[in-house]
Amino acid sequence: QLQLVTSGGGLVQPGGSLRLSCAASGFTLDNYAIGWFRQAPGKERQGVSCVNVSDGSIDYADSVKGRFTISRANAKNTVYLQMNSLKPEDTAVYSCAAGRMKRLFKSCLRADFASWGQGTQVTVSS
């Protein structure tokens, strides 16, 4: 069975760092992406970062470029999101998801994400 398990959230001060983990199992799709998303109170869910498993390409939301880094341990089916220089506006529930790439879009952020893990709370506050 497909399973996505997220972990690593917590409370940090502005400028601090966290690393989120997404452990995936049971995936059999050929052309798919793994992505990180976040949703802050009162705001729409936002795609944060993703990796196209088929070709290794990566994408980031403009708001996190230069601060967040996505990586994947292929042998362990685990995707990480290293978050540095955290800001209060990064506060949100973060979730990982998996889905098939859409042929009309190059960015894995536009994949058809259909499988979701549980959320983990990230709070950035002084």
Side-chain angles (χ1 to χ4, degrees):
Q1 303 89 344
L2 175 67
Q3 187 175 26
L4 298 167
V5 180
T6 61
S7 62
L11 173 64
V12 296
Q13 295 183 343
S17 298
L18 284 173
R19 188 181 72 165
L20 306 183
S21 298
C22 174
S25 62
F27 229 107
T28 59
L29 295 176
D30 294 328
N31 186 22
Y32 71 98
I34 303 291
W36 285 100
F37 296 80
R38 67 186 182 187
Q39 188 165 25
K43 295 186 177 181
E44 193 171 344
R45 181 183 292 124
Q46 177 190 28
V48 176
S49 184
C50 59
V51 56
N52 182 336
V53 178
S54 297
D55 64 13
S57 62
I58 290 168
D59 205 0
Y60 297 93
D62 288 341
S63 59
V64 307
K65 287 181 179 177
R67 300 187 298 120
F68 291 9
T69 303
I70 192 170
S71 61
R72 191 168 89 99
N74 292 316
K76 298 182 179 181
N77 297 313
T78 302
V79 176
Y80 302 98
L81 184 68
Q82 179 67 45
M83 305 186 295
N84 298 326
S85 302
L86 284 162
K87 305 175 181 179
E89 52 262 45
D90 295 318
T91 295
V93 174
Y94 286 71
S95 303
C96 68
R100 192 173 71 181
M101 292 288 296
K102 294 182 178 179
R103 66 171 179 260
L104 291 177
F105 299 100
K106 181 179 179 180
S107 172
C108 53
L109 288 172
R110 303 305 303 272
D112 189 11
F113 293 101
S115 299
W116 293 80
Q118 89 287 3
T120 185
Q121 178 70 46
V122 172
T123 302
V124 184
S125 177
S126 59

